[in-house]
């Protein structure tokens, strides 16, 4: 009986530890993209569309709809749908590379679409000092002109590679003070 309890305890302990296993993405290679970093990059003359961005959480968005070509209206006004509804799901894995398509004060539109068909991207808004994915209060997002339900990814932030920090020339100097009388 005691042996069974130890085995069960061991299995539960191993399951608990494996649930806490680290992500396969090395966070040490990335840093959160902040408003301060944005100002530093812009001040150094580095265009944001030349910076590689990443998301820190999986993002899954989904929409259901009907293809307009599948809708028929009879002479009596009865609507029929031939092939039923369609479901479109878009997944963005954590730390997928993305590019900025547009910026504004406190906003950035980032695209992960490798087909180059995304003209607007997903919107990220400044909240505090970091950029978070922008959703409506009922967890929806405008993407490619359609309204999608956000299945996962609320709270996703923008990250950049730490290599970008090496491109910023920071100049620090300590002033010794200035006295009355010139020197």
């Amino acid at each position: 009986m005691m042996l069974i309890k130890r085995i069960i305890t061991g299995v539960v302990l191993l399951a608990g530890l494996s649930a806490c296993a680290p992500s396969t993405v090395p966070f040490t290679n990335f840093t959160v993209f902040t408003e301060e970093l944005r100002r530093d990059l812009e001040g150094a003359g580095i265009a944001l569309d030349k910076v590689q961005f990443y998301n820190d959480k999986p993002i899954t968005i989904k929409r259901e709809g009907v293809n307009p070509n599948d809708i028929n209206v009879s002479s009596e006004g009865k609507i029929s749908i031939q092939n039923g509804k369609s479901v479109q799901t878009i997944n963005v894995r954590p730390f997928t590379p993305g590019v900025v398509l547009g910026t504004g004060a406190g906003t950035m539109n980032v695209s992960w679409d490798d087909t180059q068909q995304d003209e607007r991207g997903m919107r990220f808004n400044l909240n505090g000092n970091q950029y978070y994915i922008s959703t409506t209060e009922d967890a929806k997002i405008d993407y490619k002109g359609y309204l999608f339900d956000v299945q996962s990814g609320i709270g996703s932030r923008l990250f950049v590679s730490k290599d970008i920090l090496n491109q910023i020339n920071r100049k620090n100097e300590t002033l010794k003070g200035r006295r009355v009388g010139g020197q």
Side-chain angles (χ1 to χ4, degrees):
M1 186 67 148
M2 188 66 150
L3 180 61
I4 294 174
K5 285 183 181 179
R6 285 186 180 175
I7 291 173
I8 291 173
T9 303
V11 169
V12 169
L13 183 63
L14 284 175
L17 289 175
S18 65
C20 299
S23 166
T24 58
V25 177
F27 274 99
T28 57
N29 297 339
F30 301 94
T31 187
V32 176
F33 185 74
T34 63
E35 182 65 7
E36 179 184 359
L37 182 53
R38 179 179 178 170
R39 283 193 304 267
D40 288 347
L41 290 170
E42 290 171 341
I46 299 172
L48 293 178
D49 62 352
K50 303 296 182 204
V51 176
Q52 187 70 70
F53 287 89
Y54 304 89
N55 55 308
D56 70 334
K57 293 182 181 178
I59 300 170
T60 301
I61 58 175
K62 176 178 160 183
R63 77 178 184 97
E64 296 181 10
V66 176
N67 185 340
N69 297 328
D70 291 341
I71 300 174
N72 293 319
V73 180
S74 69
S75 58
E76 296 87 31
K78 184 177 179 182
I79 298 173
S80 65
I81 301 173
Q82 292 177 347
N83 294 324
K85 65 181 177 182
S86 64
V87 177
Q88 181 181 11
T89 304
I90 297 173
N91 297 301
V92 183
R93 292 186 174 128
F95 291 90
T96 298
V99 296
V100 168
L101 297 179
T103 63
T107 66
M108 297 177 62
N109 291 3
V110 179
S111 174
W112 289 274
D113 186 356
D114 60 341
T115 66
Q116 311 298 317
Q117 294 178 358
D118 184 6
E119 296 175 0
R120 289 190 278 175
M122 293 183 187
R123 186 177 189 140
F124 284 75
N125 290 333
L126 183 63
N127 186 354
N129 193 33
Q130 299 176 15
Y131 286 85
Y132 292 87
I133 195 164
S134 175
T135 61
T136 62
E137 289 183 16
D138 56 348
K140 295 191 184 300
I141 188 170
D142 180 16
Y143 182 65
K144 292 188 177 181
Y146 297 103
L147 204 57
F148 283 80
D149 293 315
V150 179
Q151 305 292 304
S152 67
I154 293 177
S156 183
R157 299 174 295 169
L158 289 179
F159 274 64
V160 292
S161 172
K162 284 188 176 177
D163 294 339
I164 195 74
L165 300 176
N166 297 331
Q167 296 179 28
I168 300 172
N169 293 327
R170 292 199 169 121
K171 187 191 267 187
N172 291 328
E173 109 182 47
T174 303
L175 301 177
K176 295 179 182 178
R178 185 172 177 181
R179 299 194 185 273
V180 176
Q183 311 246 12

